[in-house]
Amino acid sequence: MNALAKIEPAPLLRVTGLTKTFGNVVACRNVSFDLHPGEVLGIVGESGSGKTTLLNCISGRMRPEQGEVAFATRRLGLTDIYELPEPDRRRMQREEWGFVHQNARDGLRMRATASANVAEPLMNMGGRHYGKMRAETERWFNRVELDPARLDGQPRLFSGGMQQRVQIARNLIHHPRLVFMDEPTGGLDVSVQARLLDLMRELVRDLGLAVVLVTHDMAVARLLADRLLVMKQGDVVETGLTDQVLDDPQHPYSQLLVSSVLQI
Ligand SMILES: Nc1ncnc2c1ncn2[C@@H]1O[C@H](COP(=O)(O)OP(=O)(O)OP(=O)(O)O)[C@@H](O)[C@H]1O
């Protein structure tokens, strides 16, 4: 083992040379990065830069044309997720990952009760003790600052901010090792966003979560991300620590992105 290998911890996720096209459009071109346990990586860029496509490819929802997405699974260690048999990949996604969508209706069953939504990952992992699952669900309701009196309500009757809290609880209750978030506070009122962001920051820190976060909002990136990956027309044009990228952007596109936010 060389000296670097001793210092450098093993990555949780390793993306290598990932490319995805739609006809003539190159949505992501030759993207590579490592994500380590407990690290929050923000993927930023303007609309159409390829953020969502990259997120979909690395979260196993869309197979890239080229490249590899390797995840350190509990059972097999660092494994190309697209080489896994489909049922194994789905199980890994269910048991080891979370995915928080921008629109709660994409991540929740709106007509099931909120408690059923939150408890479902526990049941998927073999939980059968109703009382214990109910208690854990209630604990998570409190953790995301939802009133346990609403446990048996349907998310479709909740406010947007409450729905996002249900989605977050559902995606954390089973102790995932990696959580993907796609504009998790997009579409919410600014005041609701602020508290939700604080809550998410607390949870990420307390649980030591590894997160891949897609956002076009630099304030969200500043608050949550340790490191940023700036995308422009499918290319990663800059990566670095969040403060470095936002306070001293090197690439002209990152400079434009940051200055356009500061002008608002
Ligand atoms: N299913 C698809 N079919 C065809 N083209 C697509 C598809 N999905 C994405 N694209 C194209 O790929 C490029 C990247 O889109 P993508 O949605 O990944 O960007 P984005 O940065 O997430 O944008 P936004 O912030 O608006 O969601 C765009 O040119 C888009 O039109």
Side-chain angles (χ1 to χ4, degrees), residues 41-45 51 54-55 58 212-215 228-229 231:
L41 176 73
I43 301 174
V44 298
K51 305 181 298 293
L54 178 58
L55 190 73
I58 62 182
V212 179
L213 164 80
V214 160
T215 182
L228 292 184
L229 195 145
M231 293 194 73

Side-chain angles (χ1 to χ4, degrees), residues 74-75 84-97 124-125 174:
R74 283 199 182 104
R75 265 171 292 179
L84 287 171
E86 174 99 16
D88 292 359
R89 185 165 75 244
R90 288 193 181 282
R91 188 160 81 178
M92 182 203 67
Q93 285 172 302
R94 266 198 323 267
E95 296 186 354
E96 303 201 43
W97 291 359
N124 286 338
M125 290 176 71
H174 60 301

Side-chain angles (χ1 to χ4, degrees), residues 165-204:
R165 289 163 193 272
V166 176
Q167 226 203 139
I168 289 167
R170 173 188 167 92
N171 278 283
L172 298 184
I173 195 168
H174 60 301
H175 305 292
R177 303 168 67 216
L178 174 58
V179 180
F180 300 95
M181 297 186 179
D182 188 4
E183 304 275 9
T185 56
L188 297 175
D189 286 354
V190 175
S191 59
V192 176
Q193 267 194 27
R195 183 57 208 133
L196 196 61
L197 276 170
D198 276 347
L199 175 67
M200 282 165 51
R201 190 162 66 157
E202 281 167 29
L203 288 169
V204 165

Side-chain angles (χ1 to χ4, degrees), residues 14 70 109:
R14 169 162 285 169
R109 290 187 291 120

Side-chain angles (χ1 to χ4, degrees), residues 22 25 27 45-54 62 183 214 216:
F22 298 104
V25 176
E46 64 188 350
S47 182
S49 56
K51 305 181 298 293
T52 301
T53 303
L54 178 58
M62 184 185 278
E183 304 275 9
V214 160
H216 68 275

